[in-house]
Amino acid sequence: MPETETLREYKNPDYVNWDELGFRTIPTDYMYVMKMSLDGKFSEGKLIRYKNIELSPSSGVLNYGQGIFEGLKAYKKRDGRILLFRPEQNALRMQTGAQRLCMPSPTVDQFVTAVKQTVLANKRWVPPPGKGSLYLRPLILGTGAVLGLAPAPEYTFLIFASPVGNYFKEGLSPISLFVENEFHRATPGGTGGVKTISNYAPVLKAQIRAKSKGFSDVLFLDSVNKRNLEEAGSCNVFIVKGNIILTPPTEGTILSGITRKSIIEIARDCGYQVEERAIPVDEMMEADEVFCTGTAVVVAPVGSVTYHGKRVEFKTGTQSVAQRLYRTLTSIQRGVVEDKKGWTVEIEETSYHIRSLL
């Protein structure tokens, strides 16, 4: 039986339609694996063929949700060189999350080196310039067996990769958000501020319900006052009022996004006044613009927000603040302009990744 186009595209990037990538898993060639123990001992990391992994039924990740993940991207420049964007920030955030969940974590150098090796081993899957990026998903999983409630004795640090395009089906068009007032994403003292795997399944019910009504995503409110903005299901949120840009502070219930952090700095460089403070939902409904940020979504303009049945539309388009910030950020990420901030890391061809595959 001849292979279908779908099967062929999963084996060879020559069959991938780079113009219709979307945000889905396309298995690439290799993934990175390193074992870690609770007492801080590390095995030598290695690249192996992309495949399923085996887990004990009593592994810490399956029984107690002991797992965290990160997300970052590799971009191909027009001259063929490949860039990462602030990978050390992902490494530091992963360390913070691991500490919160009583897990060991790679050093910054181990993390960045592993990401570089994963990209180089899968470099034929990096989309052409302007067609998308290679998404890297580092994870730390409690793979050791444990029955009583306790940290797992062994952990797996794993990185897999997939070429991706736009996160939302709207592409670069404005998205629509639904303000959720029944379910909450995080509570004070919980794990809302770290990228644990257990943060995401609880948002699915609210997200599916919103998408069934035609919305792009859900915007969550704080669980204490039930009136202040927190974040969307997959990204941080900003509002624009004149020359002022506002975003909720990351004080334990909101993920400290790396794109968020970068946009704040870029906005200040552009002359905007940026404030990190509590934002009542009613204040957002009177804003000029609303936009979301994240590694997956980059900078997504919000065309409308619906709250208690009231729908408010916001400014979007080429002259918007969101578009200005998007163009500046992506020009740095893709190496189109000079990176004066030292945010991008070029992945140089070396021999170490080849030895890892032998």
Side-chain angles (χ1 to χ4, degrees):
M1 178 184 291
E3 289 183 311
T4 65
E5 289 297 315
T6 301
L7 289 175
R8 287 163 65 187
E9 78 167 18
Y10 285 132
K11 294 182 179 180
N12 194 328
D14 293 340
Y15 294 101
V16 175
N17 184 340
W18 301 115
D19 293 315
E20 297 181 4
L21 275 178
F23 201 88
R24 61 194 176 103
T25 301
I26 298 179
T28 52
D29 298 324
Y30 296 96
M31 61 184 189
Y32 182 94
V33 176
M34 181 173 71
K35 296 293 185 180
M36 304 181 293
S37 64
L38 191 58
D39 59 7
K41 294 180 181 179
F42 298 84
S43 69
E44 182 178 358
K46 61 181 180 179
L47 290 159
I48 63 173
R49 284 287 182 179
Y50 182 98
K51 63 178 183 178
N52 293 337
I53 62 173
E54 292 186 358
L55 287 173
S56 164
S58 59
S59 63
V61 66
L62 292 182
N63 288 266
Y64 302 119
Q66 206 180 12
I68 56 174
F69 72 94
E70 277 296 324
L72 65 161
K73 292 177 177 177
Y75 302 86
K76 182 176 289 185
K77 296 179 63 177
R78 290 176 182 152
D79 61 9
R81 290 182 292 173
I82 300 174
L83 300 177
L84 295 171
F85 184 72
R86 308 189 78 175
E88 75 290 343
Q89 293 295 314
N90 293 93
L92 291 169
R93 187 170 66 180
M94 176 165 265
Q95 288 180 345
T96 299
Q99 184 179 34
R100 176 66 177 84
L101 295 188
C102 301
M103 302 193 296
S105 60
T107 65
V108 172
D109 183 64
Q110 285 174 320
F111 180 98
V112 175
T113 297
V115 169
K116 288 179 178 179
Q117 289 190 43
T118 306
V119 173
L120 284 173
N122 296 293
K123 65 180 181 179
R124 71 192 188 118
W125 293 93
V126 182
K131 298 292 186 179
S133 57
L134 184 70
Y135 184 84
L136 286 306
R137 173 58 62 84
L139 303 109
I140 300 177
L141 307 174
T143 46
V146 58
L147 188 58
L149 181 57
E154 183 183 81
Y155 298 82
T156 299
F157 173 57
L158 183 151
I159 305 175
F160 70 89
S162 177
V164 298
N166 295 316
Y167 182 82
F168 290 112
K169 63 179 178 60
E170 291 87 349
L172 297 178
S173 299
I175 63 173
S176 59
L177 299 180
F178 175 81
V179 179
E180 176 60 52
N181 57 8
E182 179 182 354
F183 300 108
H184 298 284
R185 177 188 169 274
T187 58
T191 59
V194 297
K195 209 166 176 65
T196 172
I197 61 173
S198 56
N199 284 349
Y200 292 85
V203 311
L204 294 177
K205 187 175 182 66
Q207 192 179 67
I208 290 171
R209 185 168 64 180
K211 287 185 176 182
S212 70
K213 297 178 181 179
F215 298 99
S216 310
D217 204 347
V218 173
L219 186 55
F220 291 95
L221 302 179
D222 75 288
S223 61
V224 177
N225 300 301
K226 298 178 173 47
R227 69 184 187 93
N228 294 327
L229 301 183
E230 291 249 301
E231 60 179 274
S234 58
C235 42
N236 296 120
V237 64
F238 289 77
I239 75 169
V240 182
K241 301 180 71 175
N243 196 53
I244 301 174
I245 298 176
L246 304 170
T247 191
T250 54
E251 295 179 342
T253 58
I254 297 174
L255 185 68
S256 182
I258 294 160
T259 306
R260 172 189 181 277
K261 182 177 181 179
S262 304
I263 284 295
I264 288 173
E265 188 168 333
I266 289 172
R268 286 173 174 156
D269 290 345
C270 291
Y272 295 101
Q273 179 183 335
V274 182
E275 298 179 9
E276 297 180 71
R277 65 165 173 83
I279 306 172
V281 62
D282 292 336
E283 184 175 0
M284 175 192 64
M285 302 299 273
E286 297 176 354
D288 300 326
E289 290 183 42
V290 177
F291 62 89
C292 295
T293 66
T295 298
V297 307
V298 192
V299 178
V302 176
S304 69
V305 173
T306 299
Y307 176 54
H308 283 320
K310 179 182 179 182
R311 182 176 183 271
V312 174
E313 296 185 353
F314 302 98
K315 177 183 177 181
T316 59
T318 57
Q319 301 305 310
S320 66
V321 173
Q323 279 297 313
R324 180 183 182 184
L325 297 176
Y326 171 82
R327 288 192 296 266
T328 303
L329 175 67
T330 55
S331 293
I332 296 172
Q333 290 176 327
R334 297 169 182 167
V336 176
V337 299
E338 180 184 359
D339 175 17
K340 297 180 180 179
K341 295 181 176 295
W343 284 348
T344 55
V345 176
E346 181 179 338
I347 303 179
E348 299 179 355
E349 290 283 355
T350 59
S351 60
Y352 65 77
H353 74 288
I354 298 174
R355 289 198 299 272
S356 298
L357 297 175
L358 296 179

